Amino acid sequence: MPIPARYSRVLPAVLALCAGLAAPMVGPTAHAAPIARTAQPRTGFEESQGARWTSQAEEAAFLAGVDRVGGRLSMRTVGTTGQGRPLRLVRIGSGHPTANTMLLICSQHGDEPSGREACLITIRDLAMAGDSATRRFLDRTTVLVIPTANPDGRAADTRGNADGVDINRDHIALGTAEGRAMAAVIRDEQPDVVYDLHEYGATPRYYDKDLLALWPRNLNTDSAVHGEARTLSETYVRPAAHEEGYSSGTYGIWTDPVTGEPVKQVAGDGQERILRNAAGIKHSIGLLVETRVDARTDAEEQDPALNSRRRVDSQLTALDGAFRFVAERRTRVEAATGRARLAGFTDRGPVYLGGADNDPATPDQTLADPPCGYRLSAAQYADVRDELALHGVVSLPLGPRGLDGAYVPLRQSQRQLVALLLDGRAAYHLTEGQPRTRC
């Protein structure tokens, strides 16, 4: 699969790097030209012109090849799946401490492969680009990529992991190796943007856009972070899709095919265990992006490779908008995420145990006067101490090595998350701590 010309708006190096070597990407109304072989590392998807998805052996060889010739890339293993497959984290950029950090989480659901292919292509494009604009971008931006967030599911072509668990519902409990690895990366890297790539099945007439996007709806997301996430979706990602002729909509919202008005909500709530919401609660600008799996045309019905190329191209189009967002709004992004990470030390406001930005929390879903913290027994602390640490929650052990339990104060960066993890009224709490009202 060639590099799309639209990257010239943000990453003009891509064109210079590959000039004359590849045909244009297939767009929503175009047909794909044959893909020329080049000296660049290429994915299995590219080599087959979209006839098959990149295998995991090909992914490993591809990343090693990019690493050899790209010069800007480093990799490490951040976890191992139940079936022994590595969870890789790719880092691209200068590593400068003042750089913005953008984390791409690719194909949490193993049967949604187009995001993974887009991530692999993006890794190469960034690592091998040679122009000054891309160098400046990467001097100021660290791009982190987990190219295959669910390797066991990808190998089996299943939504869940090897144990059948939907890892995009595991960002609170952290019961899976995949969820734990992602939590550790978010804790350690503190990304400004967490961008989550998925696919969806259309419901014709009401829910069949080429691309859907959704920000964190959880009410515990800092207001400035929430605002930037909506801007990322509505001012950058979706318009980028429109510029390339793709239709777009809001994930989870059916719309009237004539008026375009919302009909009903079928997904996309404020559950804290979903990555886009967990990212917002943890003070990152989260965004879920989903591209349409179903064939759009008779040609796509007859040629599955054409359908696959369109799916990957729409992911790349959306990523183009996300890169523009980071490049153009880095100061606002840094201010929003930086202030949010400090707010928990002085915040005395409510914590919400339910509701969403389009569904106000009820009184029984609202901790209007949250406790100072939660006391955990020794047994409780032993059960959840690792998960608290992976979430970046500070706990204060009581007695030697926590033999008398622990106290978890709300006065910390992850203030809202503490209550969601330890209050018995929270839907997905890890354990029921004893609220302490005297500070």
Side-chain angles (χ1 to χ4, degrees):
M1 177 169 292
I3 312 300
R6 61 175 171 277
Y7 271 86
S8 61
R9 291 192 294 267
V10 177
L11 304 173
V14 174
L15 291 181
L17 182 67
C18 302
L21 297 179
M25 270 285 273
V26 59
T29 58
H31 293 283
I35 298 173
R37 292 178 179 271
T38 76
Q40 298 180 73
R42 301 178 71 76
T43 67
F45 180 82
E46 291 174 302
E47 292 286 359
S48 69
Q49 301 183 47
R52 60 180 177 81
W53 305 109
T54 302
S55 73
Q56 293 183 25
E58 287 172 327
E59 174 187 314
F62 172 82
L63 292 174
V66 174
D67 189 22
R68 282 194 300 271
V69 299
R72 263 187 220 110
L73 178 148
S74 64
M75 285 185 292
R76 64 185 176 96
T77 298
V78 293
T80 304
T81 69
Q83 294 182 342
R85 294 184 174 90
L87 291 157
R88 297 185 182 92
L89 176 69
V90 177
R91 180 185 301 270
I92 310 163
S94 66
H96 195 281
T98 62
N100 280 18
T101 301
M102 181 180 188
L103 172 62
L104 310 184
I105 303 286
C106 316
S107 298
Q108 286 195 76
H109 295 143
D111 57 355
E112 299 172 9
S114 72
R116 172 176 176 258
E117 300 294 344
C119 285
L120 291 172
I121 290 169
T122 296
I123 288 169
R124 182 196 58 216
D125 294 353
L126 291 174
M128 297 186 67
D131 67 296
S132 59
T134 304
R135 288 197 299 270
R136 285 194 300 272
F137 177 79
L138 292 174
D139 281 344
R140 304 175 68 193
T141 310
T142 298
V143 179
L144 304 173
V145 188
I146 298 180
T148 309
N150 182 5
D152 293 349
R154 178 78 291 272
D157 195 29
T158 57
R159 179 180 177 89
N161 67 2
D163 295 320
V165 177
D166 183 340
I167 63 175
N168 199 30
R169 302 298 184 274
D170 188 43
H171 294 285
I172 287 293
L174 304 184
T176 64
E178 298 88 349
R180 295 171 80 84
M182 284 183 274
V185 169
I186 292 171
R187 175 198 63 194
D188 296 342
E189 302 291 347
Q190 296 192 11
D192 297 289
V193 175
V194 176
Y195 187 95
D196 186 21
L197 294 83
H198 287 261
E199 299 194 80
Y200 84 103
T203 301
R205 299 187 71 237
Y206 295 100
Y207 197 52
D208 61 353
K209 305 296 185 183
D210 296 314
L211 191 90
L212 302 174
L214 188 62
W215 52 89
R217 287 198 183 275
N218 190 282
L219 291 171
N220 295 296
T221 304
D222 177 86
S223 61
V225 169
H226 178 268
E228 287 299 319
R230 287 204 66 164
T231 298
L232 170 58
S233 172
E234 305 302 279
T235 308
Y236 286 86
V237 166
R238 290 183 58 192
H242 297 164
E243 288 169 13
E244 294 299 317
Y246 292 113
S247 60
S248 76
T250 302
Y251 176 75
I253 303 295
W254 283 23
T255 56
D256 185 285
V258 177
T259 66
E261 292 298 313
V263 174
K264 65 177 179 178
Q265 182 167 339
V266 296
D269 59 16
Q271 288 182 41
E272 58 266 28
R273 62 179 181 164
I274 296 170
L275 179 60
R276 64 181 163 79
N277 287 317
I281 296 165
K282 293 181 178 182
H283 318 309
S284 295
I285 295 164
L287 193 70
L288 168 79
V289 174
E290 306 240 1
T291 194
R292 184 183 193 273
V293 171
D294 312 77
R296 262 186 37 166
T297 63
D298 289 342
E300 285 192 8
E301 288 279 7
Q302 296 165 11
D303 182 2
L306 187 64
N307 169 272
S308 297
R309 293 198 297 270
R310 187 261 306 162
R311 288 153 61 184
V312 173
D313 185 58
S314 63
Q315 294 278 17
L316 287 166
T317 297
L319 272 169
D320 181 30
F323 285 130
R324 276 193 282 167
F325 169 84
V326 171
E328 294 176 7
R329 295 183 68 86
R330 66 178 62 252
T331 300
R332 293 181 179 90
V333 165
E334 288 174 359
T337 59
R339 283 196 299 265
R341 290 182 175 122
L342 294 175
F345 292 98
T346 58
D347 190 4
R348 297 293 183 272
V351 175
Y352 300 100
L353 305 180
D357 64 0
N358 62 347
D359 179 24
T362 60
D364 65 319
Q365 294 174 319
T366 305
L367 299 180
D369 185 19
C372 300
Y374 294 86
R375 170 72 186 267
L376 303 179
S377 70
Q380 287 177 312
Y381 186 48
D383 282 343
V384 304
R385 65 189 302 172
D386 289 347
E387 288 72 28
L388 294 177
L390 284 166
H391 280 301
V393 169
V394 175
S395 56
L396 306 175
L398 302 174
R401 299 183 300 278
L403 292 178
D404 295 327
Y407 176 67
V408 185
L410 259 67
R411 187 174 292 183
Q412 59 176 292
S413 181
Q414 302 293 350
R415 176 180 182 267
Q416 288 83 357
L417 183 59
V418 169
L420 295 175
L421 296 174
L422 301 180
D423 197 292
R425 292 164 289 183
Y428 306 105
H429 61 277
L430 297 178
T431 191
E432 186 170 354
Q434 180 183 354
R436 288 297 180 90
T437 57
R438 295 184 63 182
C439 300

